[in-house]
Amino acid sequence: MKTLEEYLAVAAQNHGHMCPGQVLGVRMAMLGLSRLGIDDPVKHRKRLLTFVEIDRCATDAVSLVTGCRLGKRSLKYLDYGKVAATFVDLEGHQAVRIVARDDARQKAKAMRGNLTDPYQQQLEAYKVMADDELFTLQQVHVKLRPEDLPGRPRSRVACDQCGEGVNDGRESCVNGRTLCRNCAGESYYEVLGDQ
Ligand SMILES: [Zn+2]
Ligand SMILES: [Zn+2]
């Protein structure tokens, strides 16, 4: 594992800027890995699966440190709006969920009151704050199905309504028909017309 400073330098480059989210994300991932006993995320990348709960700055840093990526199915995104992540050790069969504490902002202000900008206060304080001031940790169990894991698709079916292919059991069975989530009424979009 690299040092905090080394990860932060790469994180800023990868993310496009340095921000409190990079510090939180890097520290969160380093803490999660250490709790799972994973000292080298590159070497142990097949052991690790990470769930992130927000689509903001910190998630880029979590992905960078863990090496877990959406395109590899090792990074799972859940739209909970929380600066939190769960690190799952597939070999050790254990998982730890880490959430950033809301009161860390107040502590940052108290620690770095010489800086007037809350962004700068957080950026600097989050680098030096103790783990338990910055985060809350939980031991958790994550229900994983074989079709959630990395590797080749476990199944692929065509939707009975739109004909589009659906991988890994994400189809629904409605009145005896096999439907994609869109056709089953769970869509996030509305088709306006074909191009
Ligand atoms: Zn950022
Ligand atoms: Zn469909």
Side-chain angles (χ1 to χ4, degrees):
M1 196 134 57
K2 294 187 174 84
T3 64
L4 175 63
E5 286 305 321
E6 286 169 336
Y7 275 130
L8 286 180
V10 192
Q13 209 170 20
N14 171 66
H15 177 64
H17 60 245
M18 176 47 73
C19 59
Q22 296 313 289
V23 184
L24 283 178
V26 166
R27 289 200 56 187
M28 188 179 267
M30 289 178 77
L31 183 60
L33 291 170
S34 94
R35 286 302 165 103
L36 293 177
I38 295 177
D39 54 355
D40 184 351
V42 178
K43 193 172 125 202
H44 294 294
R45 66 183 186 282
K46 299 223 161 149
R47 259 175 77 177
L48 193 64
L49 211 65
T50 303
F51 289 77
V52 288
E53 300 183 15
I54 198 161
D55 50 353
R56 288 194 178 273
C57 294
T59 286
D60 277 350
V62 169
S63 174
L64 178 90
V65 173
T66 58
C68 291
R69 302 213 308 257
L70 204 53
K72 291 197 176 293
R73 303 196 94 206
S74 51
L75 187 75
K76 310 287 190 190
Y77 164 58
L78 296 161
D79 194 9
Y80 286 11
K82 293 183 181 182
V83 183
T86 296
F87 305 89
V88 183
D89 179 358
L90 296 170
E91 275 178 26
H93 302 288
Q94 55 172 339
V96 58
R97 179 173 178 270
I98 304 180
V99 55
R101 297 179 60 98
D102 269 332
D103 57 7
R105 289 162 182 253
Q106 288 307 316
K107 285 205 176 116
K109 194 177 173 185
M111 282 173 80
R112 289 290 183 272
N114 56 319
L115 302 166
T116 46
D117 179 12
Y119 185 92
Q120 289 298 329
Q121 289 169 354
Q122 289 160 24
L123 181 58
E124 293 310 318
Y126 291 172
K127 291 180 192 171
V128 293
M129 237 180 232
D131 284 336
D132 60 356
E133 286 185 302
L134 211 46
F135 302 117
T136 301
L137 272 82
Q138 298 165 317
Q139 234 181 327
V140 296
H141 172 70
V142 181
K143 271 183 255 168
L144 282 170
R145 303 166 301 168
E147 55 268 36
D148 296 330
L149 297 173
R152 295 170 66 87
R154 303 301 196 279
S155 68
R156 184 171 173 84
V157 298
C159 172
D160 283 339
Q161 192 159 312
C162 69
E164 293 178 359
V166 180
N167 283 353
D168 292 304
R170 266 53 177 178
E171 66 274 16
S172 300
C173 187
V174 182
N175 299 328
R177 297 172 79 209
T178 298
L179 299 180
C180 71
R181 290 178 77 166
N182 173 55
C183 295
E186 298 174 46
S187 194
Y188 70 95
Y189 61 90
E190 186 186 345
V191 177
L192 299 178
D194 285 328
Q195 291 242 301

